[in-house]
Amino acid sequence: MGDANITVYGAPWCPDCTRAKQFLGEQRVRYDWVDIDLNEDARAYVQRVNDGKQIIPTIIFEDGSLLVEPSNAELAAKLGIQPKARRDFYDLIVVGGGPAGLSTALYAAREGIDTLVIESSAIGGQAGVTERIDNYLGFPEGVEGARLADDMRAHAERFGAETLPAQTVAEIRADGGYRTVVTESGDEYGAMALLLAVGTRYRRLNVRGEEDFIGAGIHFCATCDGPFYKGEEMVIIGGGNSALEEGLFLTKFASKVTLLVRGDALSASQVLQDKAANHPGMEIRFNTSVQEFRGESRLSGVLAKDSTTGEVEELHPGAVFVFIGLDPNTGFLSNLVELDDYGFLLTFDNMQTSVEGIFAAGDARAGSTKQVASAVGEGAAAALMIRQYLEKQGGRRGYRGD
């Protein structure tokens, strides 16, 4: 899929265009982006292939076929991504295909536990769309996130784990000793045990104009959207590891990267701080917060306030990337298991949640360190706890034991 020749016709203000671009980026599918607001011929082409209507996104594939306003499931089917699991029942279903979920799947499948991994986007999670991971043991020169994700998936599948990408879990039900997972497409899968490795999403600033320009100048994935702003100035908001990692990556494309930090110090690792401080293409502004985003159909200005002087300045970057923390993807679980005050999954004995047979690992688990290495470790530990749980259950189906 990495060599697919795809053209996406759309506009920055179109939410379905943003979703389609994000989906293709997460699947690591190459595509060309054409902004019909800036290209009269492209706009005329979209109208022609849609019987005079201007409907976006219009996506043209290498074979000449097209999809108009496709859902993620339709895109997945077109790209040959398996839309449904091979069976209806498994010993273990892992919800989330990031490092924690894949680690659990590998260890469980290796023990003979029939395992299905369901991931809403691309297998690999956020690690898969990270440009480079420099602190994962065994890769002294660092490793591309996409490569690491692909290798993790291949490793889990080598032992028999089944992976199902591009399928969002809408509901989970617990009935006695069985658990049922329902996807947005309406498919239902049963299991004896579940592992919740649902990960996190980037936090919003919640300031005026932010919602208006998401996908139209405000972004949360430098790998996905940074190349579209080549040669322009870019702003990064945040002072942690993610902000500096993505900011350093964006220097490959940007004429200048300005880091806006609300406090008077960075919270990133010292290695990243040193890299950013010594990079000629980066400027760091401390004690600076965003007050408002401005523009019409797309972002044109950012009001930034210096808390020490009270001065408000309007910046005019080509794009803004927000990295101020993470929120767990647990909204659909609030009526199933106990969460902490911030929505993270609470675990008790043996990495089990408040519901017997449902376990949790990775970034969405309360108390996790939000690092790839620890997510992999948690996943392995959870697999061992799941094996013990299944061994105690009578009438289990498919589990082959030692």
Side-chain angles (χ1 to χ4, degrees), residues 113-357:
I113 299 171
D114 288 332
T115 303
L116 171 67
V117 179
I118 303 177
E119 166 59 46
S120 62
S121 56
I123 299 297
Q126 285 189 15
V129 294
T130 299
E131 169 66 10
R132 195 163 195 83
I133 297 171
D134 284 320
N135 59 351
Y136 192 63
L137 188 64
F139 297 91
E141 302 302 321
V143 59
E144 292 180 358
R147 176 194 161 189
L148 184 62
D150 288 341
D151 287 348
M152 286 180 170
R153 174 179 182 163
H155 202 170
E157 290 180 341
R158 172 191 162 199
F159 288 107
E162 182 181 347
T163 55
L164 183 62
Q167 297 295 319
T168 299
V169 173
E171 180 187 1
I172 295 176
R173 299 193 298 265
D175 182 14
Y178 293 90
R179 289 86 184 84
T180 302
V181 175
V182 184
T183 66
E184 282 189 347
S185 59
D187 296 319
E188 295 191 5
Y189 303 103
M192 297 292 295
L194 295 182
L195 185 280
L196 302 177
V198 293
T200 55
R201 64 188 181 279
Y202 289 109
R203 189 171 294 154
R204 306 289 179 83
L205 289 166
N206 296 319
V207 300
R208 183 186 298 275
E210 182 179 28
E211 291 295 325
D212 298 332
F213 302 112
I214 289 177
I218 298 176
H219 305 279
F220 302 88
C221 177
T223 308
C224 305
D225 297 296
F228 295 115
Y229 299 94
K230 189 174 183 179
E232 300 184 55
E233 292 190 13
M234 302 185 200
V235 164
I236 297 285
I237 300 172
N241 285 338
S242 293
L244 269 66
E245 286 170 354
E246 303 298 345
L248 288 165
F249 167 68
L250 287 173
T251 59
K252 297 180 179 182
F253 310 102
S255 59
K256 177 184 177 182
V257 172
T258 300
L259 198 72
L260 304 184
V261 183
R262 185 174 58 180
D264 57 6
L266 298 170
S267 58
S269 68
Q270 191 60 51
V271 171
L272 287 171
Q273 290 190 43
D274 292 342
K275 284 184 178 181
N278 294 317
H279 198 293
M282 290 191 74
E283 177 188 353
I284 303 175
R285 296 190 184 186
F286 294 103
N287 302 303
T288 305
S289 60
V290 173
Q291 304 295 295
E292 181 182 350
F293 293 106
R294 291 180 171 179
E296 293 184 8
S297 61
R298 65 184 66 203
L299 179 71
S300 62
V302 180
L303 288 186
K305 181 178 181 179
D306 186 321
S307 62
T308 58
T309 65
E311 180 182 354
V312 176
E313 179 184 0
E314 184 166 358
L315 308 177
H316 299 282
V320 172
F321 292 83
V322 182
F323 300 106
I324 56 170
L326 301 165
D327 289 319
N329 297 315
T330 56
F332 72 106
L333 299 170
S334 58
N335 295 322
L336 176 69
V337 295
E338 288 186 29
L339 309 175
D340 70 7
D341 292 340
Y342 301 98
F344 288 87
L345 292 157
L346 290 172
T347 52
F348 304 93
D349 293 337
N350 299 331
M351 300 190 73
Q352 196 162 219
T353 68
S354 57
V355 177
E356 187 180 17

Side-chain angles (χ1 to χ4, degrees), residues 59 73 75 140 149 190 283 310 318:
I59 304 176
L75 269 175
E283 177 188 353

